Amino acid sequence: RVNRTDFMSALDEVHPAFGVSEEELQQVIQNGIIHYDAAVDELLKSGQLFVEQVRSSTRTPLVSILLHGPPGSGKTALGASIAQASQYPFIKLISPDNMVGFSESAKVTAITKVFSDSYKSPLSVVVVDNIERLIDWTPMGARFSNAVLQTLLVLFSRRPPKGRRLLIIATSSLRPILTDLGLSETFDSEMRVPPISNLKALERVLREVELFPSGDERRRALRMLEDAGLGSSKDQLSSKLQIGVKKLLSIIEMARQEPENVAERLAGALMGLGM
Ligand code: ATP
Ligand code: MG
């Protein structure tokens, strides 16, 4: 018997080869999106509004937004989720991870190709992930690939051909350098993706990933963190907790490896971060 779920997943499987890199997107949202803070929902909601704007307003055929925040705060996963939820016929991810070993000119060609492909679709979203790595930014001597930067500058402001619409979602952990590079003026909007900075949010993550077998165990772990000075949810300003969800999830998986003293090992790892 075929039920609705089967039907929907079958639809997922037959996405037009033309333009959606389903697997690539799925890969960067591997651990899903945990709604640990109101900020997460606000970011997704804002993203959705831009998606709707590009879909419905004829006056804005090109909209570009920047998701920035500390390393591991979830920028790539959020950008990919917003893109995926758009259900546009063309969704592509430009990621430095897929360009390892590319020469400068190969990068320029690959990036340019994604954009020219996008111009063939009535509605497109292109996620340009980790700008600083795409341009090979090196803090030492402030070096970078000028060819890739110039390519991005041109493509970020080029209007798609008539009747075509494009949403660009870029991500970066180095917001300040974008200004020096002349990139920040190209964005219509910027959104900060904050790290997890209070115990309440941490608790939501712990609950979601079911690290502890019971609520009692979870609360004991949280008390341990509180006593260790990681701040309480009531007093966010004094909280020393600052951790990207990506790092937190990896610490949790590490703590999960052994059933003994999970709370202690979690607290130890979190505190070992120098918070
Ligand atoms: P980097 O600075 O290294 O580029 P990042 O900020 O891009 O890191 P991601 O690569 O997006 O971070 O990693 C976030 C991870 O956390 C993903 O595996 C994602 O599935 C998971 N995750 C869980 N909840 C959330 C959330 N609310 N927002 C973003 N990512 C989340
Ligand atoms: Mg990233």
Side-chain angles (χ1 to χ4, degrees), residues 21-270:
S21 350
E22 197 71 51
E23 246 171 77
E24 246 167 30
L25 292 166
Q26 206 47 58
Q27 203 181 338
V28 298
I29 328 173
Q30 228 166 42
N31 300 302
I33 298 291
I34 300 171
H35 300 260
Y36 54 78
D37 195 285
V40 174
D41 299 291
E42 279 158 27
L43 283 163
L44 291 171
K45 179 83 196 154
S46 308
Q48 195 194 339
L49 289 176
F50 288 112
V51 164
E52 290 317 317
Q53 184 188 337
V54 171
R55 198 199 308 275
S56 57
S57 164
T58 45
R59 271 190 223 101
T60 48
L62 175 68
V63 172
S64 60
I65 60 176
L66 173 69
L67 294 174
H68 65 91
S73 55
K75 305 171 294 295
T76 304
L78 285 173
S81 299
I82 293 167
Q84 206 175 31
S86 74
Q87 297 193 310
Y88 284 6
F90 185 97
I91 308 172
K92 280 272 151 75
L93 174 68
I94 295 176
S95 159
D97 293 339
N98 303 332
M99 297 188 188
V100 177
F102 276 36
S103 68
E104 199 175 36
S105 65
K107 272 194 195 181
V108 167
T109 306
I111 294 168
T112 309
K113 171 145 188 357
V114 171
F115 279 81
S116 30
D117 286 349
S118 82
Y119 300 147
K120 294 173 195 149
S121 160
L123 275 173
S124 306
V125 47
V126 174
V127 180
V128 182
D129 195 28
N130 210 326
I131 292 182
E132 60 274 16
R133 270 184 56 218
L134 272 179
I135 64 166
D136 277 317
W137 170 259
T138 319
M140 190 80 77
R143 276 172 299 152
F144 57 92
S145 158
N146 195 44
V148 176
L149 173 64
Q150 294 309 318
T151 302
L152 291 180
L153 280 169
V154 168
L155 294 172
F156 282 0
S157 30
R158 176 177 293 163
R159 274 182 158 235
K162 201 164 183 297
R164 312 293 194 211
R165 299 180 198 166
L166 171 64
L167 172 64
I168 300 169
I169 304 176
T171 82
S172 171
S173 298
L174 291 174
R175 173 65 194 81
I177 70 158
L178 301 189
T179 306
D180 299 339
L181 296 172
L183 264 171
S184 48
E185 296 95 82
T186 64
F187 297 108
D188 296 296
S189 179
E190 294 183 14
M191 300 191 274
R192 184 175 135 84
V193 183
I196 288 174
S197 58
N198 63 73
L199 286 179
K200 184 130 208 100
L202 176 64
E203 179 176 19
R204 295 227 178 100
V205 175
L206 292 174
R207 199 185 319 160
E208 188 75 24
V209 301
E210 298 178 339
L211 176 64
F212 297 103
S214 72
D216 279 352
E217 274 291 294
R218 191 173 61 237
R219 277 183 286 275
R220 191 173 72 84
L222 283 160
R223 246 186 329 268
M224 208 179 287
L225 293 169
E226 207 168 336
D227 293 344
L230 276 195
S232 74
S233 47
K234 286 154 251 135
D235 189 7
Q236 277 190 35
L237 286 177
S238 75
S239 172
K240 287 188 220 129
L241 185 65
Q242 290 284 330
I243 187 172
V245 61
K246 187 181 184 180
K247 177 102 193 175
L248 176 60
L249 290 174
S250 91
I251 286 177
I252 288 173
E253 287 322 304
M254 187 206 66
R256 208 200 286 275
Q257 294 316 307
E258 284 177 65
E260 303 292 300
N261 306 324
V262 171
E264 283 76 6
R265 283 185 299 115
L266 176 72
L270 283 172

